[in-house]
Amino acid sequence: MSDRIPVVAANWKMHKTLAEATDFCDRFLPQVEDAAAEIVICPSYLSLPLVAEATKVGAVEVAAQNMHYEDSGAFTGEVSAAMLLDAGAKAVVLGHSERRQLFCETDEALARKVPVALESGLMPILCVGETAEERERDETDRILRRQIDAGISRVPAERLAEVVVAYEPIWAIGTGKTATPEQAEDACGFVRSLVAARDTTAAERIRILYGGSVKPANAADLLGREEIDGALVGGASLDPDDFAAIVTAAG
Ligand code: PEP
C-alpha cells in the first residue's frame, strides 16, 4: 500500500446553477465528514465562491475547470490564477479532454499553465488520455508520453510531486464504458514511469488518478489498485449520494 493520500475530484462541467450547487453541498457534506480521501469539487466559475464558502469548515477543496496562463490582459472570456484564488479555488483542472478536443487546448498552452498554477498556489490536476482510435492503433503510450512530457516540461523537479495527473481515456469519458482496472492501472503505472524519468522521488509521491465513467459500482475495484491514487469523476459526481459513495470507496 502506498502512503499517497487519495484524491477524489468532482468535475461538474457545465452543470448546476447556484441553487443546485447549494443543494448538492447540503446533501453531500454530511456524508463525507470522516473521509480519508482529499475531496475536490470543480464547479462552474460562477459557483466557485459559493462552494468554497459552503465547504470551508471541512476537508473539501474547490477547483476551477480551466485557467489562463497570463496574469491579466486582453483575453476576453478567460480567467487568471489570481482570480481563481480570489474566488476560493485551491486547485485547477488543466487539459481536460473536452478542453483539448472542443476548445483547441494545446500541449504548449498546458506547458505554460501547469507551472503558473503551481507558482500561484493552485494544485494543478493535469488530464491526459488517448482516444479509442489511438488505443486501437496501440498508440496509448506515445500519446501519454507526449501529453505528460509537455505538461510537466517546465515544472522544476522539486515541485513535480505537487502536480496531480488524471489519466482519462477519452473513450471512457461520459460513455458508460469504463477502462478495466488492469487497463487503468497499466496506464497510470506508465504515467508514473514517465514522471520517474524526470525525478524518481517525485514519481513515488505524485498522485495519479483515473477518470472515465467511475461510479459507485466500479469505484472500489479501480481505486483499490496500487498505481491508482484516486478518481476524477464527471457524471456520477453530480449526485451527492453517488459521489459520497465513490469518496468512501477511495478509503
Ligand atoms: C470527466 O469528465 O472527467 C469524466 C471522467 O467524466 P465521466 O465520469 O462522466 O466519464
Side-chain angles (χ1 to χ4, degrees), residues 11 13 96 168 172-174 211-214 232-235:
N11 177 16
K13 311 190 185 193
H96 190 278
E168 298 208 302
I173 296 182
S213 300
V214 177
L232 180 55
V233 187

Side-chain angles (χ1 to χ4, degrees), residues 143-184:
I143 299 299
L144 294 180
R145 182 186 299 279
R146 194 199 74 215
Q147 294 174 336
I148 291 289
D149 284 355
I152 65 173
S153 57
R154 294 172 208 165
V155 176
E158 64 275 12
R159 299 211 63 183
L160 259 184
E162 296 169 60
V163 177
V164 171
V165 175
Y167 166 63
E168 298 208 302
I170 296 170
W171 46 272
I173 296 182
T175 58
K177 234 192 246 177
T178 316
T180 63
E182 292 74 23
Q183 286 172 323

Side-chain angles (χ1 to χ4, degrees), residues 14-206:
M14 198 172 73
H15 292 286
K16 293 198 190 292
T17 60
L18 296 179
E20 288 163 348
T22 303
D23 179 60
F24 178 97
C25 292
D26 289 347
R27 293 167 55 201
F28 172 70
L29 296 174
Q31 300 188 57
V32 296
E33 274 164 9
D34 301 321
E38 200 173 306
I39 304 167
V40 180
I41 298 179
C42 319
S44 75
Y45 292 132
L46 296 176
S47 296
L48 266 175
L50 181 152
V51 179
E53 180 64 27
T55 56
K56 74 172 181 222
V57 286
V60 179
E61 283 171 1
V62 178
Q65 299 174 18
N66 187 26
M67 180 200 87
H68 199 278
Y69 47 75
E70 294 290 355
D71 290 344
S72 61
F75 302 105
T76 301
E78 292 291 327
V79 171
S80 71
M83 292 169 184
L84 297 179
L85 287 161
D86 241 9
K90 296 277 192 292
V92 59
V93 174
L94 296 172
H96 190 278
S97 63
E98 287 150 19
R99 302 274 350 145
R100 291 181 190 260
Q101 292 197 310
L102 304 174
F103 301 100
C104 308
E105 181 88 285
T106 62
D107 283 329
E108 171 54 25
L110 292 161
R112 298 175 75 167
K113 289 183 180 192
V114 175
V116 167
L118 276 174
E119 281 154 26
S120 310
L122 291 165
M123 176 177 82
I125 303 175
L126 172 67
C127 301
V128 296
E130 80 288 359
T131 63
E133 296 71 35
E134 287 160 349
R135 179 164 278 267
E136 273 157 29
R137 291 198 300 264
D138 212 13
E139 290 179 351
T140 301
D141 288 1
R142 185 178 67 80
I143 299 299
L144 294 180
R145 182 186 299 279
R146 194 199 74 215
Q147 294 174 336
I148 291 289
D149 284 355
I152 65 173
S153 57
R154 294 172 208 165
V155 176
E158 64 275 12
R159 299 211 63 183
L160 259 184
E162 296 169 60
V163 177
V164 171
V165 175
Y167 166 63
E168 298 208 302
I170 296 170
W171 46 272
I173 296 182
T175 58
K177 234 192 246 177
T178 316
T180 63
E182 292 74 23
Q183 286 172 323
E185 180 161 49
D186 275 0
C188 291
F190 180 66
V191 168
R192 198 175 302 285
S193 75
L194 296 172
V195 177
R198 279 281 311 279
D199 189 275
T200 48
T201 311
E204 275 163 33
R205 290 176 47 217
I206 196 167

